[in-house]
Amino acid sequence: DHKGAPTMGLLAKAVRKYGVAVARMEEESNRPPLASTSTPRDTIVEPAASEAAAAPSGSGQGSGGKEAPRRYKKVELPTQEQMMMDDVMNNNCMVKMVLSCVMGGVLGAGMGIFFGAFEPMQPGEEKLGVMQTLRNYGRQSLSKSWSYAKGFAAFGALYSGSECVIEQTRAKHDIYNSAYAGCFTGGVMARSGGKEGMAMGCATMAALSVCMDRFMDIH
């Protein structure tokens, strides 16, 4: 019995060590992974100021005085194709005028169809059949849509083209460009009303353009 006592003690120690090792392995497996500390390729890390300018020996600062390194993002310069496209879209008055003309025509056509649907019935149409009434409404809507499309297309082309020319002539991007362009567009659109109509159209469109720019905070 006395000879078996040391053997039992060694066996108990081995069992305890095995249990501690298993517990540590389970703890390591359940621990969440550490966050990656790798630096992206497009990030530049500037060394801390305390590391860049090392102090003389004997007068060093503690670790608490070190600054964290600064990180900067690399600036991607536009390519030549992107610069050419931006110049064509933003600085070419002809392109601006054509785009505004097309967009104005589409907007006017949609408004013409919408308002044409609310046209009152003409005398005698109540006696017509359903199909004939729908045809009449379709013709009226198309006629009004074409009229609206021409007006909005002309307005968009005049305003956008004149504003672009005035801005390039003055070499300034401010609210006066919109006022001058609105006055020119309003005067041209109201030319059928004579001098008084042109003056009224100029003043009205200039004020409206300034108010829209103030509201949208373009300049």
Side-chain angles (χ1 to χ4, degrees), residues 9-218:
L10 293 174
L11 182 60
K13 288 182 179 180
V15 171
R16 284 197 298 272
K17 288 182 179 181
Y18 178 76
V20 171
V22 170
R24 287 181 179 177
M25 291 176 63
E26 291 181 353
E27 182 180 357
E28 290 292 337
S29 62
N30 295 330
R31 183 178 299 174
L34 297 177
S36 175
T37 57
S38 60
T39 304
R41 292 184 178 181
D42 60 343
T43 303
I44 300 175
V45 180
E46 179 184 354
S50 59
E51 296 178 3
S57 60
S59 61
Q61 299 178 351
S63 60
K66 292 184 178 181
E67 297 180 1
R70 299 178 182 178
R71 299 175 181 269
Y72 300 95
K73 287 285 186 181
K74 290 184 179 180
V75 178
E76 295 291 340
L77 296 178
T79 61
Q80 187 175 2
E81 291 78 9
Q82 292 175 343
M83 294 173 64
M84 291 177 60
M85 183 61 66
D86 183 73
D87 183 68
V88 169
M89 296 300 295
N90 296 326
N91 299 324
N92 194 313
C93 295
M94 185 60 65
V95 174
K96 282 187 173 182
M97 189 169 62
V98 171
L99 290 177
S100 299
C101 180
V102 173
M103 293 175 62
V106 173
L107 178 62
M111 293 184 64
I113 294 175
F114 177 77
F115 288 113
F118 295 96
E119 285 289 325
M121 295 182 64
Q122 299 296 328
E125 286 189 349
E126 62 273 3
K127 299 179 181 179
L128 300 176
V130 177
M131 296 303 297
Q132 187 62 35
T133 304
L134 291 177
R135 291 193 189 96
N136 292 342
Y137 272 117
R139 282 195 293 267
Q140 292 176 6
S141 298
L142 289 177
S143 176
K144 189 172 290 293
S145 175
W146 175 244
S147 177
Y148 274 64
K150 289 191 297 183
F152 275 82
F155 178 84
L158 284 172
Y159 183 84
S160 180
S162 59
E163 185 184 27
C164 180
V165 171
I166 293 171
E167 181 177 349
Q168 291 186 359
T169 303
R170 297 181 65 241
K172 292 181 180 180
H173 183 70
D174 52 22
I175 199 170
Y176 292 103
N177 296 332
S178 302
Y180 297 148
C183 178
F184 173 77
T185 305
V188 173
M189 297 293 289
R191 65 187 182 278
S192 59
K195 295 181 179 180
E196 295 182 358
M198 292 178 67
M200 183 64 66
C202 170
T204 303
M205 283 306 305
L208 181 61
S209 300
V210 171
C211 292
M212 288 297 295
D213 277 9
R214 290 291 187 184
F215 177 74
M216 299 177 65
D217 197 18
I218 296 177

